[in-house]
Amino acid sequence: MTPVLRVSDLRKSFGPVEALRGADLELHAGEVLAVVGDNGAGKSTLIKHIAGVYQPDSGEMLLAGEKLALRSPREARARGIETVYQDLALADDLSIGANIFLGREPVRRFLGLLPYVDDRTIRRETAALLQRIRSVIPAEARTVARLSGGQRQAVAIARAIYWQAKVVLMDEPTAALAVMERERVIEHARELASHGVGVIYIGHNLTEILKVADRIAVMFRGRTVHVTAAGDTTQETLIKYMTGYSETEKAA
Amino acid sequence: MRSLLRRLPIETYVISFTVALWIALSLATPNFLTESNISNMMRQTSIAAIVAIGVMCTIVIAGIDLSVGSVVAFCGVLFAQMCAHGLALPLAALITLAAGLLVGATNAFAIGRLGIPAFIVTLAGLQVYRGLALLLSGGMTVGGLPPSVKDFARGTTILPNLFWAMLAVGVAVHYLLRYTRTGRYLYAMGSNAEATRRQGINTFRITMVAYVLSSSLAALAGILLVSRLSIASPSMANAYELQAIAAAVVGGASLFGGRGTVLGAVVGAVLFTTMSNAAVLLSVDPFWEMVLEGLLIALVVYLDNLQKRRQSGG
Ligand SMILES: Nc1ncnc2c1ncn2[C@@H]1O[C@H](COP(=O)(O)OP(=O)(O)OP(=O)(O)O)[C@@H](O)[C@H]1O
Ligand SMILES: [Mg+2]
């Protein structure tokens, strides 16, 4: 089966900083692939390439076998790649629905002339959607400003489900959350995968990673150094790869 | 009860305060509830509100436009000069509006493309356009305008024409903000510009919309002010930017962005006009009036701050 996403030998420098030095990745539909690595290993940089935020210096990306050369986040979204960002990127003063539909609002016309955003449809679809992902968000909450971190996460995930993403990128989705809410995000990630979505999940908490992931890729200094099925590995092994211990071991 | 009071939108307080002021004024002086005073206030409010509506749009995207007062003067002088030199009125008005549009596009370019903070760009504009107004008028009042110039602003169609002009502007901008995608993106950008960009929205275009609106409405206000005064002075509309910002903020616009309504800006403008009207009628020292207005602005910005902190606090 062709992977839904394949990244080969991606390289990227920011001035003197080599953030990616040959990153590889293979993501299948319906799986959660965790990406782990030390701070600054290049995890965020890697998924920002997939999200169209950065363009690589060299290397190749294929989406369902087709070449993926993105010039903007907009293009990424048009190709079915959604991102749930580390810093919970929602517009606080807008409603939940307005956030889910941001940039893709349905439009109708008064008397066939003046266009207007169809808020009724947005509200209806949002309510149905939140029910579908069994979210506990009060659908009538006026803006997202007062939602908890986990609820905001759920809004971003609802957005991905609604727009039928092929690939969802989650960068430390639980970083700012309380324990109970982390559990929910893990459920949401699993749920996305069960919808046939390929999920890339960046995290630091290995217990959580082993619980959420089907497979795990370890990055070290801008490179993918190890890929394993979650069932075949242990925290100790992962830490060895994350700290570069096994690389030095090999070299020795 | 206290929590109920807290939850009411700020416009509610401002409207109540303004109405209270009206009642107090009509009791305090027989000159308040006269037809001429009211229509005079309506004319004054309308021009102030048109400027405030434009500035409010820049505040919604978490920007600011400090140049509007100078743009009113510059465009007013430009318009007057063209009329004084015998250009047809509609053509002069059109050229003036185009000049306003250009000013806004320049501001938006400097802010959105060159990345200069809006505060700096429009502060520079405040100086530049006041200077241009002085240059264009030779530092003197431009008079001798054809009588037709003043027909519009002095005229009445049941209510003063200026009031209808404000209503038209208000309805149009309200429609834009409340019902169109562009309007929604203005609020989105003001709440979280990065998130908005990540959703594939062209934030430069949104910046353009906000600043072009602000400057074009200032240009329109310049034309209307000249029509009302039937002269143009390079020093007119002094400190209009402060009044406009204050009106928008008093009307619920947040200097942090993401919030603000046309109705709020209009209500704010009404309040400030009422205050200066009251000062005149009760012969309060205009210097005290400035002090009071300043304190009111500080109070409202403080409340805005409080609300923001409470919101991010959970
Ligand atoms: N826009 C940028 N400009 C310059 N350097 C950058 C930029 N983005 C990332 N870097 C650098 O690239 C390297 C990889 O950063 P990245 O954010 O991808 O790490 P990460 O694996 O996500 O780390 P963390 O776990 O801390 O989030 C770091 O050294 C970082 O400083
Ligand atoms: Mg990161």
Side-chain angles (χ1 to χ4, degrees):
Chain A
M1 201 179 74
T2 15
V4 63
L5 178 75
R6 185 200 294 275
V7 174
S8 359
D9 199 26
L10 217 60
R11 289 167 192 273
K12 175 73 169 183
S13 300
F14 297 103
V17 183
E18 286 183 279
L20 295 181
R21 301 185 305 148
D24 304 299
L25 213 68
E26 216 178 88
L27 174 71
H28 295 278
E31 78 166 347
V32 177
L33 172 70
V35 178
V36 297
D38 205 356
N39 292 114
K43 306 180 295 292
S44 297
T45 305
L46 173 60
I47 69 163
K48 281 181 179 164
H49 279 84
I50 303 168
V53 177
Y54 295 146
Q55 285 76 44
D57 296 336
S58 70
E60 194 182 44
M61 298 191 287
L62 297 175
L63 185 73
E66 282 173 42
K67 193 162 165 43
L68 188 67
L70 301 167
R71 273 162 304 167
S72 70
R74 177 177 216 123
E75 280 187 17
R77 279 199 338 175
R79 300 279 300 264
I81 299 168
E82 291 280 339
T83 311
V84 176
Y85 282 97
Q86 195 165 9
D87 44 7
L88 313 173
L90 297 175
D92 268 2
D93 297 291
L94 300 189
S95 69
I96 294 170
N99 267 288
I100 291 177
F101 284 80
L102 188 58
R104 293 181 279 209
E105 295 81 0
V107 170
R108 297 178 64 152
R109 282 169 189 281
F110 287 123
L111 313 167
L113 271 173
L114 280 182
Y116 69 95
V117 174
D118 183 4
D119 272 316
R120 279 203 15 220
T121 301
I122 290 182
R123 268 196 301 275
R124 180 163 31 81
E125 297 280 300
T126 303
L129 186 62
L130 292 179
Q131 204 160 40
R132 202 166 106 207
I133 67 167
R134 292 189 297 277
S135 167
V136 285
I137 307 172
E140 65 286 351
R142 247 168 38 93
T143 66
V144 301
R146 279 160 190 269
L147 298 184
S148 72
Q151 290 172 330
R152 294 162 68 91
Q153 203 67 249
V155 172
I157 286 161
R159 177 156 70 193
I161 292 182
Y162 186 80
W163 295 104
Q164 304 189 327
K166 291 196 193 83
V167 173
V168 170
L169 311 170
M170 301 174 79
D171 192 350
E172 303 195 31
T174 56
L177 303 185
V179 179
M180 283 308 292
E181 298 205 301
R182 289 185 196 175
E183 292 297 321
R184 274 209 97 75
V185 171
I186 290 173
E187 282 170 30
H188 283 315
R190 295 298 333 165
E191 170 133 13
L192 274 170
S194 75
H195 279 80
V197 178
V199 179
I200 296 183
Y201 190 105
I202 295 181
H204 282 288
N205 180 334
L206 294 180
T207 318
E208 184 182 301
I209 292 295
L210 287 169
K211 203 188 293 179
V212 72
D214 296 301
R215 290 188 310 129
I216 300 171
V218 183
M219 287 188 73
F220 179 71
R221 294 198 186 149
R223 227 178 249 140
T224 316
V225 292
H226 181 64
V227 181
T228 173
D232 300 345
T233 192
T234 61
Q235 297 203 17
E236 290 71 34
T237 320
L238 291 173
I239 289 168
K240 270 189 193 165
Y241 283 103
M242 285 166 67
T243 52
Y245 173 75
S246 43
E247 267 204 348
T248 34
E249 195 177 46
K250 250 184 285 174
Chain B
M1 186 64 198
R2 256 184 78 181
S3 68
L4 179 74
L5 280 179
R6 276 178 168 194
R7 230 172 285 147
L8 285 174
I10 193 155
E11 288 100 316
T12 332
Y13 298 105
V14 180
I15 293 176
S16 330
F17 184 65
T18 310
V19 171
L21 211 59
W22 284 345
I23 294 172
L25 277 172
S26 44
L27 294 178
T29 157
N31 300 329
F32 180 72
L33 271 184
T34 62
E35 200 192 323
S36 76
N37 187 51
I38 289 175
S39 67
N40 186 37
M41 261 180 66
M42 277 177 116
R43 292 193 167 93
Q44 213 179 326
T45 297
S46 301
I47 293 179
I50 287 173
V51 179
I53 288 169
V55 171
M56 184 267 297
C57 294
T58 67
I59 294 179
V60 163
I61 67 165
I64 193 84
D65 191 346
L66 298 172
S67 67
V68 284
S70 299
V71 174
V72 169
F74 165 63
C75 289
V77 168
L78 180 67
F79 176 67
Q81 285 291 29
M82 287 190 288
C83 294
H85 286 80
L87 212 63
L89 270 186
L91 187 61
L94 223 58
I95 294 176
T96 308
L97 289 176
L101 194 143
L102 210 65
V103 169
T106 314
N107 285 344
F109 183 82
I111 295 161
R113 277 280 183 267
L114 306 184
I116 310 172
F119 177 78
I120 304 295
V121 169
T122 59
L123 188 62
L126 179 144
Q127 197 74 343
V128 168
Y129 298 110
R130 185 65 67 181
L132 287 178
L134 285 161
L135 281 173
L136 209 59
S137 60
M140 291 188 304
T141 299
V142 183
L145 306 181
S148 55
V149 168
K150 61 174 187 281
D151 284 353
F152 182 80
R154 304 236 167 138
T156 299
T157 317
I158 305 175
L159 292 172
N161 288 345
L162 281 178
F163 176 82
W164 296 116
M166 175 195 79
L167 197 68
V169 167
V171 167
V173 177
H174 178 75
Y175 162 74
L176 176 86
L177 290 182
R178 175 69 188 75
Y179 292 102
T180 69
R181 296 173 83 172
T182 301
R184 180 150 309 185
Y185 302 160
L186 285 160
Y187 290 101
M189 190 180 161
S191 317
N192 191 336
E194 184 55 31
T196 307
R197 209 168 295 124
R198 284 172 186 175
Q199 289 309 309
I201 292 157
N202 182 347
T203 48
F204 178 59
R205 191 181 75 84
I206 301 303
T207 307
M208 202 42 103
V209 168
Y211 286 93
V212 164
L213 257 176
S214 183
S215 297
S216 307
L217 289 181
L220 175 65
I223 296 172
L224 296 176
L225 193 60
V226 169
S227 170
R228 187 170 149 217
L229 305 172
S230 59
I231 53 156
S233 144
S235 62
M236 69 186 182
N238 191 33
Y240 259 39
E241 60 281 343
L242 281 188
Q243 283 228 358
I245 293 166
V249 171
V250 165
S254 167
L255 292 174
F256 299 98
R259 248 176 296 158
T261 60
V262 169
L263 181 67
V266 172
V267 168
V270 172
L271 174 61
F272 279 99
T273 316
T274 307
M275 281 176 67
S276 61
N277 188 249
V280 173
L281 291 182
L282 304 176
S283 41
V284 173
D285 190 330
F287 298 155
W288 274 115
E289 187 206 334
M290 285 175 73
V291 172
L292 285 179
E293 276 185 18
L295 289 177
L296 184 66
I297 295 171
L299 175 71
V300 169
V301 173
Y302 170 71
L303 291 177
D304 180 33
N305 247 309
L306 264 192
Q307 195 172 22
K308 187 74 186 181
R309 231 178 302 157
R310 206 162 53 228
Q311 199 175 62
S312 51

